[in-house]
Amino acid sequence: MTPGDVNAFFGLMLDNLTGLFLVVILLSGFGFPTEFAISALVPGTALGVLVGDLAFVYFAFRLARKKNSSDVTAMPLGLDTPSVFGVCLLILGPSFRQGVDSLGLSEIDAAYRTWHIGIWCIVMSGVLKLVMAPASNWVRRVVPRAGLLGSLAAIALALISFLPLSEILGRPLPGLVALAIVLTTLIARIPLPGRVPGTLGALVVAGLIYYLMCGLGVDGYHFPSLSTIEWFPTRWMECWDGSWISAWPDAVPYLPIALPFAIATVVGGIDCTESAAAAGDSYHTPMVIGVEAVATLLAGLSGGVIQTTPYIGHPAYKAMGGRAGYTLGTALVIGSAGLIGYFTFLNDIIPKPAVLPILVFIGLEITAQSFSATPRRHYAAVAIACLPALAALVLNFSGQILGDQALREAGISVSDLSPVFQESFATISMLGSGFILTSLLWAWGLAASIDRNLRTAGIVFLVCAVFTLFGLMHSPLEGSRLFLPLGPEHWETIVLGPESRSKVFEFAAGYAVVGVLLLAWRRWLPVADAGRAPLDSELEHELDTDGSN
């Protein structure tokens, strides 16, 4: 393991560790038994990370032999963060409350029912990924880098870099010190004394400051209270008897919520493969998607409830100097933490302000790489991809506000607010729903227009219209659920309600008109200009590439 692997290891491992802990915390808010979650849900979820990361380690060594080079970075894999929140808050939590409140089940029986529903959702997500994997290389060939990397930049800048700041600056003394160490060592490339890895240095220095503040009794700083640890949980093995199969009827209503998360990770996996290629490591796209599909499927079959996905930090981990050791270390630590049960102890004692700055670095590095690996004429296409992600960011915070306990206890919801706010909120909600796919298609369409390829641009926006009609983009339903635009009344659980049809149909019509307009516009475009990028933009990009400008 190289010093760069140590830096990368702390970033990837701590990100996954936080995801495991969030599963328990979020479900506890619904009254889900913590002990059951640790012994049944967490081990299989961690096993998926173990299998997926080990597979990526193997493929990294294979690529290194093929290239005859030691400068190969393994693809990072871990728990899908959107799925952690979406599955826990929209599937597992509500299904548990339904079991207790509506079906009259005991807490333990409701927990088993919820667990079996979660298994079905993850197993079906893995199957869907396997089906989609063979087409992933074709997608990578036809979609320009502005589309693939633009959606990554959107996630990196608006979500990965921004969201941790509330925790980092909530404890500004250790948080700012850790952030400064991480950015100075990893972006400015100024080493710490003794060449101590930046992430390790930030963890040690900021951690000592944090605990010193606790010892001094500074307001807001408290020594952690250690959670009870169940060593070597065994309940997760019960899923191997197949008892969860009978829960299929209970799981079906939740599949429209779970499957869009799986589709999003496939798109994200394609993006990640393109990002890795731009950084110098060319992996086979169907292989990358296949690994995440198999890891997700094995996690589900072992009782896991959160899918795995390639992480978008490959360029950042490569910039740190990571090779394959950081992925191997993450596989072993996360796998053993879940299967042995000590992950709660690690999460209790590690101060968040000391480790979260690594996410800020990862987001900044990916954003910078997304622009540098894209032709200069397509910069606007990369930028427009960030707009749907900003809508998702707004929804994150507005959702926290509107879901606050004080407002719930007062009986205040969106429907009680002004009509103007309700309309704006509904529009922003639809823009943020399925934002990864929206970002990709918007950037693709604009990049095609910049290249004077109005035929491709028109087709892209017609595809947007079709996707909107089924909720792949701009779904107005809770949890960004998929739907059928029309259907018989007895299909009511999967057919879009009349109250939402007008807005969805108008969105789809808008895309359709844009698509037809661009296709018609192409007929008036001079033949000499069709499909050709502006000369001045090409020259500017060549100058930038040569370093002459």
Side-chain angles (χ1 to χ4, degrees):
M1 181 177 285
T2 68
D5 276 315
V6 176
N7 270 325
F9 163 73
F10 277 101
L12 183 61
M13 182 273 292
L14 292 170
D15 196 350
N16 277 278
L17 191 64
T18 301
L20 282 177
F21 195 72
L22 277 173
V23 172
V24 178
I25 291 297
L26 293 174
L27 291 179
S28 67
F30 291 90
F32 195 95
T34 298
E35 181 275 332
F36 189 96
I38 292 173
S39 62
L41 280 61
V42 168
T45 302
L47 183 62
V49 176
L50 171 65
V51 171
D53 274 327
L54 288 179
F56 280 151
V57 169
Y58 165 76
F59 285 112
F61 278 114
R62 194 174 75 169
L63 180 62
R65 287 196 301 270
K66 179 180 179 181
K67 294 174 61 177
N68 193 26
S69 171
S70 60
D71 185 26
V72 172
T73 299
M75 289 288 290
L77 176 138
L79 300 183
D80 179 45
T81 302
S83 295
V84 171
F85 288 95
V87 170
C88 290
L89 298 180
L90 302 174
I91 297 177
L92 301 179
S95 66
F96 175 76
R97 292 315 318 168
Q98 181 189 47
V100 173
D101 300 334
S102 301
L103 303 179
L105 301 176
S106 66
E107 284 194 354
I108 191 66
D109 289 338
Y112 269 105
R113 175 179 178 270
T114 296
W115 182 30
H116 294 163
I117 289 173
I119 291 174
W120 263 118
C121 289
I122 301 307
V123 166
M124 294 307 297
S125 295
V127 171
L128 179 61
K129 291 179 183 184
L130 279 176
V131 171
M132 297 180 69
S136 57
N137 222 15
W138 173 82
V139 172
R140 193 173 158 214
R141 285 197 305 268
V142 300
V143 179
R145 279 192 169 180
L148 295 175
L149 299 184
S151 56
L152 285 186
I155 300 170
L157 188 62
L159 300 180
I160 292 179
S161 286
F162 183 82
L163 287 179
L165 289 178
S166 61
E167 187 76 38
I168 294 169
L169 299 181
R171 305 289 185 273
L173 182 52
L176 286 173
V177 169
L179 184 62
I181 293 174
V182 167
L183 297 185
T184 303
T185 55
L186 300 183
I187 291 184
R189 306 294 178 87
I190 300 174
L192 286 171
R195 296 197 172 273
V196 175
T199 51
L200 180 59
L203 175 62
V204 172
V205 175
L208 289 174
I209 293 174
Y210 181 90
Y211 280 109
L212 177 61
M213 303 284 276
C214 293
L216 294 174
V218 177
D219 187 38
Y221 289 83
H222 307 283
F223 286 108
S225 56
L226 300 181
S227 305
T228 302
I229 299 176
E230 180 185 357
W231 297 101
F232 297 101
T234 58
R235 181 178 278 130
W236 64 280
M237 299 179 187
E238 295 178 13
C239 70
W240 292 343
D241 65 11
S243 57
W244 54 274
I245 295 176
S246 61
W248 171 252
D250 294 327
V252 168
Y254 295 99
L255 292 181
I257 301 176
L259 295 184
F261 286 110
I263 295 171
T265 64
V266 171
V267 175
I270 296 170
D271 290 351
C272 293
T273 310
E274 181 66 19
S275 180
D281 295 332
S282 296
Y283 290 101
H284 187 52
T285 310
M287 178 274 293
V288 172
I289 305 302
V291 167
E292 74 155 301
V294 171
T296 296
L297 191 57
L298 288 176
L301 294 173
S302 300
V305 294
I306 304 297
Q307 64 177 340
T308 55
T309 184
Y311 275 13
I312 69 174
H314 178 279
Y317 294 127
K318 192 174 187 69
M320 294 180 198
R323 296 298 176 256
Y326 83 101
T327 308
L328 176 61
T330 298
L332 298 178
V333 170
I334 296 302
S336 61
L339 296 172
I340 296 175
Y342 63 84
F343 82 95
T344 51
F345 173 74
L346 294 178
N347 200 85
D348 285 342
I349 65 170
I350 297 175
K352 300 301 182 296
V355 296
L356 290 181
I358 189 63
L359 296 181
V360 178
F361 161 72
I362 289 171
L364 294 177
E365 184 70 19
I366 292 167
T367 303
Q369 192 262 356
S370 297
F371 280 96
S372 66
T374 301
R376 184 173 180 178
R377 67 181 183 274
H378 289 167
Y379 280 6
V382 176
I384 199 174
C386 295
L387 300 183
L390 293 176
L393 180 64
V394 171
L395 287 177
N396 179 279
F397 284 99
S398 61
Q400 292 182 40
I401 294 171
L402 295 171
D404 187 81
Q405 184 177 354
L407 294 182
R408 292 203 309 269
E409 291 177 351
I412 299 176
S413 63
V414 176
S415 60
D416 298 313
L417 303 178
S418 69
V420 174
F421 177 86
Q422 290 185 49
E423 183 175 358
S424 297
F425 184 78
T427 301
I428 294 297
S429 297
M430 292 181 69
L431 176 57
S433 175
F435 74 92
I436 296 177
L437 196 54
T438 305
S439 295
L440 185 151
L441 292 172
W442 281 15
W444 185 3
L446 181 55
S449 295
I450 292 170
D451 289 342
R452 304 293 197 270
N453 192 346
L454 295 187
R455 178 176 180 273
T456 296
I459 293 173
V460 167
F461 287 108
L462 290 176
V463 169
C464 288
V466 175
F467 283 179
T468 300
L469 286 175
F470 295 93
L472 287 164
M473 298 165 50
H474 310 311
S475 172
L477 305 181
E478 186 179 16
S480 301
R481 285 181 294 156
L482 304 181
F483 52 78
L484 295 175
L486 298 168
E489 291 185 4
H490 65 276
W491 288 6
E492 58 182 10
T493 56
I494 60 172
V495 175
L496 184 66
E499 70 281 357
S500 302
R501 285 178 189 160
S502 174
K503 199 70 172 179
V504 169
F505 288 174
E506 187 174 351
F507 257 88
Y511 281 126
V513 170
V514 170
V516 172
L517 173 64
L518 292 173
L519 290 173
W521 201 337
R522 174 175 172 267
R523 299 191 60 179
W524 281 273
L525 188 68
V527 175
D529 289 341
R532 183 177 181 278
L535 180 61
D536 58 341
S537 296
E538 290 179 338
L539 291 175
E540 287 174 1
H541 180 59
E542 290 176 4
L543 288 173
D544 286 345
T545 303
D546 295 338
S548 306
N549 190 16

